[in-house]
Amino acid sequence: MKRIERGFEHLLFSSRWLIAPVYLGLVIAMLILLVKFGKQVWSLSANVLSAPGTEIIIGVLSLVDIALVMNLLIIIILSGYENFVSKMDDLKDHDDRPEWMGHIGFSDLKIKLIGSIVAISGIELLKAFMNVDALSDRHLAWMLGLHITFVVSGLLFAMMDKLTYRAH
């Protein structure tokens, strides 16, 4: 019976590798975002002399938005892989290894995730307000409501984290 239990536990533990292709899919998503980023830079460059200032600012905010999403994906891919699949021991002494690698736990990952979502939502809200004439009041209200929800959620996550940390 103990042998069956041990085999089952090894099967469960090995199942963590099922998420590895998901991280590879996120890398592919980053490539797609890189193409979108390049398209946006090309569009901004081509219209820099003829586009109004607000359009340039909205374009730049879109670039910042893509950069934030890509940064978030890097954090999710690397910390998720290290937390849930396997340690990257071969990269431990690599000069370019980020300091946070190997130190971000699931709780830290949640806080970084919600922080990034708040930042992305804030940029989208700013873009909307810069183009306020094209949107209905209802649409703006929904965007503002969602942003406030993200901010409050982030604060609640941080408070729960602090309470949990204090309890330990």
Side-chain angles (χ1 to χ4, degrees):
M1 193 61 160
K2 189 69 173 168
R3 188 175 184 195
I4 293 172
E5 180 182 351
R6 209 176 11 239
F8 182 69
E9 289 169 356
H10 281 289
L11 174 69
L12 289 178
F13 186 69
S14 297
S15 71
R16 73 192 190 281
W17 285 97
L18 293 174
I19 199 168
V22 172
Y23 295 125
L24 182 60
L26 291 176
V27 170
I28 293 168
M30 286 179 59
L31 289 171
I32 292 167
L33 285 170
L34 184 61
V35 170
K36 178 77 173 162
F37 186 89
K39 183 180 173 190
Q40 184 72 29
V41 167
W42 182 263
S43 175
L44 274 174
S45 300
N47 299 320
V48 71
L49 297 176
S50 61
T54 55
E55 194 173 307
I56 298 293
I57 292 171
I58 289 172
V60 170
L61 287 174
S62 295
L63 294 176
V64 171
D65 205 13
I66 292 170
L68 284 172
V69 171
M70 290 180 78
N71 288 338
L72 176 62
L73 287 174
I74 286 289
I75 291 170
I76 290 170
I77 292 166
L78 296 179
S79 63
Y81 184 86
E82 279 214 327
N83 278 313
F84 301 113
V85 181
S86 181
K87 299 289 180 211
M88 294 184 185
D89 292 330
D90 291 345
L91 301 175
K92 197 171 272 190
D93 297 325
H94 196 283
D95 291 340
D96 293 330
R97 180 182 166 109
E99 285 187 33
W100 53 262
M101 270 185 71
H103 302 290
I104 291 184
F106 185 64
S107 181
D108 300 322
L109 186 58
K110 286 188 303 185
I111 296 297
K112 288 189 182 310
L113 176 66
I114 194 71
S116 295
I117 289 171
V118 167
I120 292 164
S121 171
I123 288 173
E124 288 298 316
L125 192 58
L126 182 58
K127 285 176 12 185
F129 279 115
M130 298 215 42
N131 199 14
V132 74
D133 296 335
L135 299 172
S136 70
D137 290 345
R138 181 181 174 147
H139 187 83
L140 286 172
W142 273 106
M143 288 183 76
L144 187 60
L146 281 172
H147 181 69
I148 290 170
T149 301
F150 290 143
V151 169
V152 169
S153 296
L155 290 172
L156 290 174
F157 268 124
M159 286 173 37
M160 286 187 307
D161 229 34
K162 188 171 184 168
L163 291 173
T164 303
Y165 181 75
R166 191 180 299 163
H168 286 42

